[in-house]
Amino acid sequence: MSETQVFKRAGNEAIIINKPTGTDFHLTARGSDWLWTVFCVNIFFAMILILLMFRKPVDDRFLYYLAIAPCLFMTIAYYTIASDLGWVAIKAKYNHNRTSTQTTHLGMRQIFYSRYCGWFLAMPFPIIQASILGKTPLWQMFFNIVLTEFFVVCMLLAALVHTTYKWGYFTFSVFCSYIVMVSIITTTKNLCVKRGNDVFTVFKIYVSIIFFFWGIYPISFGLSEGGNVLVVDSEMIFYGILDLCFLCFAPTIFIPLANYIGLDKLGYNFHPEDKESGAGAGPARSPASPKSPKSPKSPKSPKTPKSGAASPKLKKSKKSKK
């Protein structure tokens, strides 16, 4: 076997093995190569974070869990997309993009629902990280997480609908993300202000990063699945950069930012010995001394008459003399 044949066999054969049959706008080998790159970056960050996590005590791994999870979820998602799996063919609503093999006026576009599965699992974690900076109440965090999931579900429905009704789901999706942003920049922001300037500074930096990239997702959707302006390879480059920044780099950056503040100041102290020896405990009381046994009572002595008072016999004798 020649060297050329060896290199050919070692190349990316995902598009050859898993052919995009029945589509006009589909992934190519170059797009698949880029997706494998994103896959490698995600799994690299996940492995590094896992190794760093095991060097920490069990009670100090809380921040690492929130960064490892989205990296692992997107690793699986991009493995599926790069393999040209997890997609359906949907007729494009607009004919902004045409191919030489297109047989109908509105061609069939490859829609990867596997990406939305990864988003459904990974997108809540940057929102959770932003929420814990102010120790947002659990019910408020749950509300933010649910609306983030609604954002993903509505985006998926918009991508799968052929008619103009897709923009209705798109509007619902953007509205859900807007509510989450308002919730964080009001409720969580006020809680961070109460915790000090350092917490509020970290909050401003991190929230600005994640909201900037999250706000670009609707633009990417409108240019790709929604408006059929970008080809599938360009769509993958656009989404790949966003996913790396929003679901890989940002959760990783959160770890040093939160460690700069400290879990104790954030209100997440998982060391039980520190709680027992807290500053609020009062001084230790000295043990009570045992009570001494009571001494037996001495018998009562007969009462002696007072010096100033006369006895009754003397009083009678005085009366008789009179």
Side-chain angles (χ1 to χ4, degrees):
M1 184 181 295
S2 63
E3 294 182 0
T4 305
Q5 292 176 338
V6 171
F7 282 117
K8 285 183 178 180
R9 292 189 62 181
N12 184 6
E13 297 183 351
I15 307 300
I16 299 174
I17 298 174
N18 304 312
K19 296 181 180 180
T21 307
T23 59
D24 298 309
F25 315 111
H26 56 78
L27 187 67
T28 65
R30 291 184 178 181
S32 180
D33 292 340
W34 160 250
L35 293 172
W36 283 118
T37 303
V38 179
F39 160 80
C40 292
V41 173
N42 277 291
I43 196 171
F44 173 77
F45 270 78
M47 293 176 65
I48 293 298
L49 290 173
I50 290 173
L51 292 175
L52 293 175
M53 179 196 69
F54 282 118
R55 297 185 61 184
K56 293 285 185 179
V58 177
D59 297 329
D60 296 337
R61 298 177 182 177
F62 172 62
L63 298 176
Y64 288 87
Y65 299 148
L66 300 178
I68 293 171
C71 291
L72 287 178
F73 291 143
M74 296 312 296
T75 296
I76 299 172
Y78 272 92
Y79 173 84
T80 307
I81 303 171
S83 302
D84 202 26
L85 299 171
W87 58 271
V88 292
I90 301 295
K91 182 178 288 188
K93 173 59 183 173
Y94 306 100
N95 204 38
H96 296 151
N97 184 31
R98 294 182 63 88
T99 61
S100 58
T101 58
Q102 187 172 333
T103 56
T104 59
H105 176 65
L106 297 174
M108 304 296 290
R109 186 181 180 95
Q110 201 175 18
I111 304 296
F112 287 88
Y113 60 83
S114 52
R115 179 196 296 119
Y116 295 89
C117 295
W119 286 354
F120 187 85
L121 296 172
M123 270 198 179
F125 284 92
I127 306 303
I128 295 173
Q129 289 176 325
S131 299
I132 68 173
L133 287 175
K135 200 176 183 182
T136 308
L138 291 177
W139 50 88
Q140 187 71 26
M141 291 177 62
F142 179 76
F143 175 77
N144 295 338
I145 292 170
V146 170
L147 287 185
T148 305
E149 304 291 24
F150 268 105
F151 169 84
V152 178
V153 172
C154 291
M155 277 289 188
L156 175 60
L157 293 174
L160 297 177
V161 172
H162 161 65
T163 63
T164 54
Y165 282 83
K166 67 169 60 197
W167 300 113
Y169 292 108
F170 175 82
T171 304
F172 295 147
S173 178
V174 174
F175 182 67
C176 289
S177 64
Y178 175 76
I179 295 176
V180 175
M181 291 180 183
V182 172
S183 173
I184 291 178
I185 63 178
T186 54
T187 304
T188 307
K189 173 191 171 183
N190 294 333
L191 293 172
C192 289
V193 170
K194 295 179 181 179
R195 292 185 173 273
N197 291 330
D198 52 350
V199 178
F200 182 56
T201 302
V202 171
F203 171 81
K204 288 190 297 183
I205 295 172
Y206 187 70
V207 169
S208 300
I209 293 172
I210 63 173
F211 283 179
F212 172 77
F213 290 111
W214 196 13
I216 302 178
Y217 276 90
I219 300 174
S220 180
F221 177 88
L223 295 175
S224 53
E225 299 105 322
N228 194 33
V229 176
L230 300 177
V231 296
V232 177
D233 286 352
S234 300
E235 168 195 338
M236 295 304 166
I237 295 174
F238 203 158
Y239 277 130
I241 295 173
L242 286 179
D243 288 340
L244 284 177
C245 294
F246 184 54
L247 300 174
C248 181
F249 299 153
T252 304
I253 293 173
F254 179 79
I255 296 176
L257 290 176
N259 283 329
Y260 168 75
I261 301 172
L263 286 177
D264 294 340
K265 190 167 185 178
L266 292 176
Y268 296 95
N269 185 4
F270 300 104
H271 297 275
E273 62 274 8
D274 294 344
K275 294 180 181 179
E276 293 176 0
S277 60
R285 295 181 178 179
S286 58
S289 58
K291 294 181 179 180
S292 58
K294 294 182 179 180
S295 58
K297 295 181 179 180
S298 58
K300 294 182 179 180
S301 58
K303 293 182 179 180
T304 57
K306 296 181 180 180
S307 58
S311 62
K313 291 182 179 180
L314 292 175
K315 288 181 179 180
K316 288 181 180 180
S317 60
K318 287 180 179 180
K319 288 181 180 179
S320 60
K321 287 180 180 180
K322 289 180 180 180

